[in-house]
Amino acid sequence: MNVMITGASGGLGRALANECGRRGYNLFLTDIDARGLKSIQRGVERQFNVTVTTAACDLTSDESVDELVRSIDSLGIRFDMLLNVAGVDYEGGFLERSGRDIVRIISLNNEATLRITHALLNRRREGLPFYLLFTSSLASMYPMPLKATYAASKRFLLDLAVALREELRDKRVNVLALCPGGLATTREAMRGIAAQGFWGSATTNPLEVVSRKTIDRLEARGGIYIPGALNRVLTFFGKLLPRRWVAAAIYRRWQKAQEHWKPAELSAEKL
Amino acid sequence: MKYAVITGASSGIGLAASVELAQKGYAVIGVGRDEARCEQAALQIRAAAPDANIRFLCADLMQQREVARVAHEITEILLQEHEGKLDALINNAGCVRSWYTTTEEGYEQQFALNHLAGFLLTWFLLSQLGRAGGRVLMTGSESHKQFRMRWHDVMFSRGYNPLAAYKQSKLSNILFARGLNDRYQKDGVRAYVVDPGLVCTEIGCKNTGGLVNWIWNMRKKHGAQPEVPAGTYGYLCETEPAPEELYYYRCKPNRYSKQVTRENADRLFALSERLCGVEYPSAIVTEKEKTI
């Protein structure tokens, strides 16, 4: 099994790399952070007996992705799985962020994901099933004030996953949208979870469980995976209420959390 | 003047041990993660020991490249000021994590910081320790008892539990000390584990949140002040001839787990060497400088 992971040096990317290594899959890891890539490559190779290849790439740039694709083609690699993890959020309200940062959320979370997904689907192994993961978010379930662009970008990935799953079913492609709540991936993320108090901890999903179940679900059938019973219940009731009410409730909650936690400390937090 | 390196020296037990050794006339090289906290700690140490030779190096020891960097800085200092000798290395830095979290290498953070960081730093400083007949101290915990190494999954990627991961990392500290003694006692280097008892520090409240934070806030109130275990560090660094036992509580040998066997220690050594990408020598070479 050959697996590509984007955003591989971030918290979720590393956990998924470990999970795949544990299962004996060979890995092709990419991220914009070249040093981080080397670290996770070393870590996975030392822990598991698998082949790990890395290539630093800025997925928001056509040229950089073309180069990545050329190096894949020169190695003649065919893939069985693509885990789209690379994504970004800039904390702070819409007007507190720079216009560039806001546009960059869409450039990476959506455009870049399409770019690499299209390239990899065309380089899947002939005649075998292909597994395609999109990392959406619990934020995709509702409009989210103070995270408006991020939530909308994740909604895009959710809808894309559901639609592609039907479209590519005949071609034996399993598509999964992963919609986690909080994940304790970095010190800042842990601080953010602590700042939200009870609801922060309650909606946070254990990273190692999410990683394992994500790969299980992806291989079994695809679909939408919302980790955590509470998150599933909240999502269910959220759908029954008018979207405007839900948005208003979320706005109040985030405002309160931000009083305890200065999001200025957070820039370009990788999710 | 003797030289000591103390990791996690900017707060809690590490800070108290730094004060203790500074008062005993050691030159102290502290390692801490946060620059502001390190500066604060240096002030506190100087207030308690006005003539202290104290300096801090900043490093996030969870990351192996940071361990390598800080080890080189320490090597430089020792070479210039102390003929490349190190009298005491105190691997004290530790953390608790409520959730499964990983380092840049993808290693579980408690195992990476509480055990692997000390394992790797000691490897880098082995010749320096050999030259001085130095001592290596780890900060252990009573909680290592009634626990076995999870050899099939030391990183807890299945069934993570904060307390279990912590216990395993503390059992690893004793196995590591045992392994060091098995290998290098003949070269004059001794390793010990200090059982500090329950101490009122912030270890359970740094980036934890939720249940762990709450429980530790309750529990630490019953703990002793960090100055209480600090005396044991001084005792183990200073006493001549070197104390014979492995595990000490308040300057006295204490009982430790039956899991601490030569076989388990060797197994942990082999695993840790693989995870750190290094190999411990069969005997300490003191002549030439080691390079990565």
Side-chain angles (χ1 to χ4, degrees), chain A residues 118-139:
Chain A
H118 197 268
L120 266 271
L121 274 171
N122 284 320
R123 284 162 184 79
R124 66 185 193 275
R125 215 193 287 271
E126 290 286 316
L128 285 172
F130 186 81
Y131 305 99
L132 177 57
L133 174 76
F134 293 102
T135 304
S136 180
S137 164
L138 201 57

Side-chain angles (χ1 to χ4, degrees), chain B residues 159-286:
Chain B
Y160 182 79
N161 168 327
L163 191 56
Y166 185 76
K167 286 177 175 180
Q168 178 180 257
S169 73
K170 291 294 141 184
L171 176 57
S172 302
N173 289 152
I174 311 182
L175 289 172
F176 174 43
R178 165 75 197 257
L180 282 176
N181 285 335
D182 288 345
R183 284 163 181 74
Y184 307 120
Q185 198 167 334
K186 60 178 166 39
D187 300 319
V189 171
R190 290 297 300 250
Y192 303 100
V193 177
V194 176
D195 172 2
L198 181 63
V199 183
C200 182
T201 68
E202 293 303 312
I203 189 168
C205 306
K206 289 180 181 167
N207 301 313
T208 50
L211 202 57
V212 171
N213 196 335
W214 187 78
I215 293 172
W216 184 247
N217 265 321
M218 292 285 145
R219 209 166 136 63
K220 76 177 182 191
K221 286 182 197 147
H222 306 287
Q225 287 306 303
E227 290 72 30
V228 176
T232 310
Y233 292 86
Y235 168 81
L236 290 173
C237 290
E238 285 283 86
T239 307
E240 294 294 346
E244 285 301 317
E245 290 298 320
L246 182 63
Y247 188 66
Y248 283 82
Y249 173 66
R250 299 203 177 167
C251 305
K252 293 212 168 56
N254 202 3
R255 289 165 64 89
Y256 51 90
S257 167
K258 289 198 175 61
Q259 292 296 309
V260 181
T261 60
R262 178 158 197 155
E263 189 199 349
N264 279 339
D266 285 348
R267 197 168 173 186
L268 182 66
F269 249 77
L271 174 69
S272 309
E273 285 180 334
R274 187 156 53 84
L275 292 173
C276 294
V278 301
E279 205 170 311
Y280 268 84
S282 55
I284 298 177
V285 181
T286 49

Side-chain angles (χ1 to χ4, degrees), chain B residues 1-5 29 74-75 77-88 125 127-134 289:
Chain B
M1 181 178 268
K2 288 181 167 184
Y3 273 64
V5 169
I29 304 172
I74 293 167
T75 305
I77 293 171
L78 295 175
L79 201 60
Q80 282 174 12
E81 301 178 12
H82 199 48
E83 299 161 349
K85 292 191 297 189
L86 177 59
D87 302 279
L125 298 175
S127 323
Q128 285 77 0
L129 287 161
R131 282 183 204 117
E289 280 305 315

Side-chain angles (χ1 to χ4, degrees), chain A residues 49-94:
Chain A
N49 187 23
V50 296
T51 307
V52 184
T53 311
T54 59
C57 177
D58 176 4
L59 295 175
T60 60
S61 137
D62 274 318
E63 293 74 34
S64 192
V65 172
D66 285 347
E67 199 179 308
L68 178 73
V69 167
R70 270 198 300 277
S71 77
I72 289 170
D73 287 343
S74 71
L75 294 166
I77 305 174
R78 284 289 177 267
F79 287 93
D80 307 277
M81 187 183 284
L82 167 62
L83 307 178
N84 281 305
V85 178
V88 71
D89 188 21
Y90 297 93
E91 289 291 336
F94 193 77

Side-chain angles (χ1 to χ4, degrees), chain A residues 14 18-19 22 35-36 39-40 42-44 46-47 184 187 190-191 194 201 204 206-208 212, chain B residues 33 60 64-65 97 99-107 153 155 157-158 160 207 210 274-277:
Chain A
R14 295 195 303 253
N18 275 336
E19 182 60 36
R22 218 185 142 77
R35 195 177 65 183
S39 296
I40 184 64
R42 272 198 301 273
V44 173
R46 287 169 184 173
Q47 285 186 83
R187 283 200 182 87
M190 286 183 244
R191 232 175 274 148
S201 293
T204 295
L207 191 56
E208 78 286 14
R212 174 169 54 83
Chain B
R33 188 168 59 81
D60 181 3
Q64 298 195 341
R65 61 184 167 77
R97 290 285 179 258
W99 310 93
Y100 171 86
T101 47
T102 65
T103 66
E104 288 176 3
E105 280 84 18
Y107 299 160
D153 182 23
M155 305 287 183
S157 66
R158 296 285 184 271
Y160 182 79
N207 301 313
R274 187 156 53 84
L275 292 173
C276 294

Side-chain angles (χ1 to χ4, degrees), chain A:
Chain A
M1 185 87 99
N2 291 339
V3 182
M4 171 172 286
I5 304 179
T6 73
S9 55
L12 179 60
R14 295 195 303 253
L16 286 168
N18 275 336
E19 182 60 36
C20 291
R22 218 185 142 77
R23 291 171 190 237
Y25 302 166
N26 295 322
L27 293 170
F28 193 113
L29 306 178
T30 178
D31 197 289
I32 198 165
D33 170 12
R35 195 177 65 183
L37 271 182
K38 285 293 155 203
S39 296
I40 184 64
Q41 176 180 27
R42 272 198 301 273
V44 173
E45 282 177 343
R46 287 169 184 173
Q47 285 186 83
F48 312 104
N49 187 23
V50 296
T51 307
V52 184
T53 311
T54 59
C57 177
D58 176 4
L59 295 175
T60 60
S61 137
D62 274 318
E63 293 74 34
S64 192
V65 172
D66 285 347
E67 199 179 308
L68 178 73
V69 167
R70 270 198 300 277
S71 77
I72 289 170
D73 287 343
S74 71
L75 294 166
I77 305 174
R78 284 289 177 267
F79 287 93
D80 307 277
M81 187 183 284
L82 167 62
L83 307 178
N84 281 305
V85 178
V88 71
D89 188 21
Y90 297 93
E91 289 291 336
F94 193 77
L95 290 177
E96 276 110 63
R97 310 185 207 198
S98 78
R100 250 167 218 245
D101 282 355
I102 285 175
V103 171
R104 201 181 144 75
I105 296 176
I106 302 298
S107 309
L108 182 58
N109 297 9
N110 300 148
E111 284 181 22
T113 303
L114 292 176
R115 204 173 276 130
I116 193 75
T117 302
H118 197 268
L120 266 271
L121 274 171
N122 284 320
R123 284 162 184 79
R124 66 185 193 275
R125 215 193 287 271
E126 290 286 316
L128 285 172
F130 186 81
Y131 305 99
L132 177 57
L133 174 76
F134 293 102
T135 304
S136 180
S137 164
L138 201 57
S140 68
M141 299 293 165
Y142 348 89
M144 288 189 81
L146 297 173
K147 279 175 165 294
T149 315
Y150 175 77
S153 78
K154 292 298 179 179
R155 182 76 195 189
F156 174 93
L157 293 177
L158 177 69
D159 284 359
L160 181 72
V162 173
L164 281 184
R165 183 174 184 226
E166 297 309 316
E167 188 178 328
L168 300 175
R169 194 184 287 275
D170 298 345
K171 303 198 162 57
R172 299 174 71 191
V173 179
N174 276 12
V175 186
L176 180 76
L178 167 63
C179 302
L183 291 172
T185 49
T186 59
R187 283 200 182 87
E188 287 74 14
M190 286 183 244
R191 232 175 274 148
I193 291 164
Q196 291 174 57
F198 170 77
W199 288 108
S201 293
T203 55
T204 295
N205 302 118
L207 191 56
E208 78 286 14
V209 176
V210 169
S211 309
R212 174 169 54 83
K213 288 194 175 167
T214 295
I215 306 294
D216 283 348
R217 290 280 182 109
L218 180 56
E219 291 182 353
R221 57 180 186 278
I224 298 171
Y225 170 36
I226 302 170
L230 178 66
N231 289 347
R232 284 193 289 275
V233 170
L234 287 177
T235 305
F236 176 78
F237 285 109
K239 279 179 192 156
L240 300 179
L241 297 171
R243 282 161 69 80
R244 212 190 60 172
W245 293 10
V246 178
I250 290 171
Y251 182 52
R252 277 197 298 276
R253 189 188 135 200
W254 277 105
Q255 247 185 339
K256 224 178 267 172
Q258 295 204 342
E259 283 165 17
H260 299 285
W261 168 45
K262 293 187 186 62
E265 292 169 15
L266 276 178
S267 63
E269 180 54 49
K270 268 189 197 153
L271 289 176

